[in-house]
Amino acid sequence: MDGIKYAVFTESIRLLGNNQYTSNVESGSTRTEIKHWIELFFGVKVVAMNSHRLPGKGRRMGPIMRHTMHYRRMIITLQPGYSIPPLIEKRT
């Protein structure tokens, strides 16, 4: 599960009706690796996966302009009847 960074909830709200989930993953991860991780960790069946690469953001460090690393966003479609529980931690 090292390749999956975190779930994206801002885009996921409208996709949940289609049984689709969105998460950011490392840019070097392949579709088959991500599919295997999702199916193994959550115990679901993945039907389709779409991805697009997002550019890194510019960060200024004094006079030098640097960029953060780019990453990939995966939209994962599950078979009907399967769902991924929300990954929300309770703070005490």
Side-chain angles (χ1 to χ4, degrees), residues 47-63:
V47 175
M49 298 180 71
N50 296 327
S51 68
H52 58 277
R53 213 173 99 183
L54 299 162
K57 296 180 180 179
R59 300 281 186 227
R60 182 166 295 282
M61 295 177 189

Side-chain angles (χ1 to χ4, degrees), residues 27-56:
S27 61
S29 302
T30 63
R31 288 176 184 234
T32 55
E33 288 176 348
I34 301 297
K35 180 179 178 180
H36 179 70
W37 289 334
I38 298 272
E39 289 179 345
L40 188 66
F41 187 73
F42 293 109
V44 297
K45 292 291 182 181
V46 176
V47 175
M49 298 180 71
N50 296 327
S51 68
H52 58 277
R53 213 173 99 183
L54 299 162

Side-chain angles (χ1 to χ4, degrees), residues 20-21 31 48-52 72-77:
Q20 294 179 331
Y21 296 87
R31 288 176 184 234
M49 298 180 71
N50 296 327
S51 68
H52 58 277
R72 179 181 289 172
R73 182 163 291 165
M74 300 292 288
I75 301 172
I76 301 156
T77 306

